[in-house]
Amino acid sequence: MATLRSLLKFWALSAFAIYGWLRLKLTRSPTLIILTYHRVLPESSDEREREQPGMIVSPGNLQRHIKLIQSLGAVPIHLDEWLRKKEAGEALPALSVAFTFDDGWRDNYLHGYPVLRQAQVPATIFLVTGMVDTGDTFWPEKVIRLVRTPGIDLSDQAFAWLQPYLSDRGSKSTPLSLLEADEIIHRLKELDDVTIIQHLEESTSLLTAEDNLADQVPVILQTEELKEMAGENLVKYGAHTRNHFRLNRLNSKEALEEQIAGCLSDLETMNVISVPIFCYPNGDITDGGEHLVAKHYQAACTTKTGWNRAASRNDFDLHRFNLHDGNSSTARTFLATIGRSLA
Ligand SMILES: [Zn+2]
């Protein structure tokens, strides 16, 4: 039975891969595919033990993606450049590809940039501007750090806020597995980001110094690194809010304004090569947020999957393909990931 199931899975994957390959090869009207990445970490990195599945690509896989997509005839281009040419009615290749990285992880500089530079492939990094130059990290990573630190009693009163989101069956003493941590993060998304961050700060102030949830070295990009990557015009920076707050969780116009317009003004004062393109955190869109994004930016990336036709007039609904080691470590799985969302 298990053999039959894995055989069926193999054929389904192969069918999607062939379909993806055919769609990419046969496209005639100018089309852009946008690839989304988050973290770039070597196989041996122990940071992988503290990250959600689906967030990481290895430098080797990134390199293979570049070669594969180029072998299909796709021309790497800066995202803003493709949009500009489209707007101006200039000639565009049948198939273009834009590489994008969300959140502004420092590993993009350490492990991603050398790959991009070697292949001379341009990319856009969507920055959370309030995190740049800080030693801070995002709340999901803090939750992982908390529940994966050995010897913490999560049934303690200090974690009362977290207890409804732990699994009923699971253990209440750490370390929990990465999978359990991931499930807790998904359940916590019921709460708004500010509440989660406040709870984490209160609870972690009770931890000992060595159990502190802060990282020893910065995990988010620093200004010097942003400048270095922009130096050869290979990397440009877009906006991913000021604090990575999900827009549908913000209920005042001021809070939305701060995250959307504030991020753009931060990018401008940072004096790096920025592009007026917004990327929605978690893909969450609200009417008020959408309106402000359209007012301040020229385009926006969503988490919807699919490709973008030059004939489309809506630059605020850009579709992307989210790639990570789990869905694109071979040519077949890479093409199946593309094919599945075009089917
Ligand atoms: Zn993000």
Side-chain angles (χ1 to χ4, degrees):
M1 197 61 191
T3 328
L4 182 66
R5 204 175 302 136
S6 58
L7 206 63
L8 283 173
K9 211 173 142 193
F10 176 85
W11 284 113
L13 200 70
S14 302
F16 278 126
I18 293 166
Y19 182 73
W21 182 81
L22 280 171
R23 291 292 302 269
L24 294 176
K25 282 303 270 187
L26 298 178
T27 179
R28 290 286 172 267
S29 65
T31 298
L32 170 71
I33 57 173
I34 308 175
L35 306 181
T36 305
Y37 298 91
H38 291 83
R39 306 196 64 173
V40 186
L41 291 170
E43 306 280 0
S44 57
S45 169
D46 43 324
E47 282 184 67
R48 283 177 174 259
E49 291 302 307
R50 301 190 295 272
E51 190 49 84
Q52 290 176 276
M55 286 279 287
I56 309 166
V57 70
S58 70
N61 278 337
L62 178 62
Q63 198 167 33
R64 278 186 279 278
H65 293 176
I66 292 172
K67 285 200 176 125
L68 178 63
I69 200 80
Q70 285 181 321
S71 74
L72 289 163
V75 181
I77 191 167
H78 267 299
L79 178 55
D80 68 310
E81 197 61 18
W82 189 85
L83 293 167
R84 188 193 61 73
K85 285 189 168 184
K86 169 174 99 86
E87 200 56 37
E90 288 178 31
L92 282 165
L95 190 62
S96 304
V97 57
F99 285 77
T100 66
F101 294 80
D102 287 7
D103 304 335
W105 294 94
R106 195 159 166 257
D107 52 54
N108 294 182
Y109 166 77
L110 297 172
H111 308 294
Y113 183 56
V115 175
L116 296 172
R117 195 169 54 171
Q118 196 195 21
Q120 285 295 298
V121 164
T124 304
I125 299 180
F126 290 106
L127 295 175
V128 177
T129 49
M131 302 281 260
V132 172
D133 287 333
T134 70
D136 206 1
T137 189
F138 302 98
W139 69 253
E141 283 69 28
K142 287 184 186 170
V143 170
I144 295 177
R145 184 65 74 91
L146 173 67
V147 303
R148 306 250 311 138
T149 298
I152 294 177
D153 178 11
L154 296 174
S155 60
D156 189 281
Q157 196 50 34
F159 303 108
W161 65 276
L162 185 64
Q163 285 152 13
Y165 305 95
L166 302 175
S167 157
D168 291 338
R169 295 161 285 111
S171 161
K172 298 287 186 289
S173 61
T174 61
L176 304 185
S177 72
L178 205 49
L179 199 69
E180 281 175 292
D182 190 44
E183 285 169 2
I184 294 167
I185 290 165
H186 281 286
R187 286 192 284 263
L188 276 171
K189 286 187 179 176
E190 252 180 48
L191 302 174
D192 67 74
D193 302 283
V194 177
T195 307
I196 301 168
I197 292 165
Q198 278 169 354
H199 282 313
L200 276 166
E201 271 168 17
E202 283 158 19
S203 314
T204 54
S205 65
L206 303 169
L207 298 177
T208 59
E210 58 267 33
D211 284 345
N212 199 294
L213 304 186
D215 286 279
Q216 304 303 311
V217 288
V219 291
I220 303 297
L221 285 164
Q222 310 286 294
T223 304
E224 283 311 305
E225 295 155 353
L226 298 178
K227 293 213 157 113
E228 190 183 326
M229 288 193 284
E232 292 175 53
N233 202 27
L234 218 49
V235 177
K236 296 182 183 182
Y237 303 97
H240 198 37
T241 71
R242 208 170 237 179
N243 302 98
H244 208 265
F245 294 162
R246 289 162 292 157
L247 300 186
N248 60 347
R249 294 282 165 175
L250 300 174
N251 35 33
S252 77
K253 192 168 178 298
E254 291 69 34
L256 277 173
E257 185 87 40
E258 192 198 336
Q259 292 302 317
I260 296 167
C263 185
L264 187 63
S265 70
D266 288 349
L267 280 176
E268 284 160 2
T269 48
M270 278 160 86
N271 202 17
V272 290
I273 304 177
S274 63
V275 290
I277 304 176
F278 188 79
C279 172
Y280 288 98
N282 214 43
D284 293 324
I285 306 172
T286 56
D287 288 349
E290 211 167 15
H291 181 76
L292 277 177
V293 168
K295 186 175 148 197
H296 293 284
Y297 294 85
Q298 286 172 12
C301 286
T302 64
T303 50
K304 294 181 208 162
T305 53
W307 57 21
N308 306 283
R309 298 285 199 186
S312 160
R313 300 255 50 95
N314 188 1
D315 290 347
F316 290 92
D317 187 38
L318 296 173
H319 289 38
R320 306 192 288 169
F321 297 97
N322 186 40
L323 297 176
H324 51 86
D325 285 348
N327 70 0
S328 53
S329 61
T330 63
R332 199 165 63 96
T333 50
F334 176 95
L335 287 168
T337 299
I338 304 244
R340 191 177 282 118
S341 42
L342 292 176

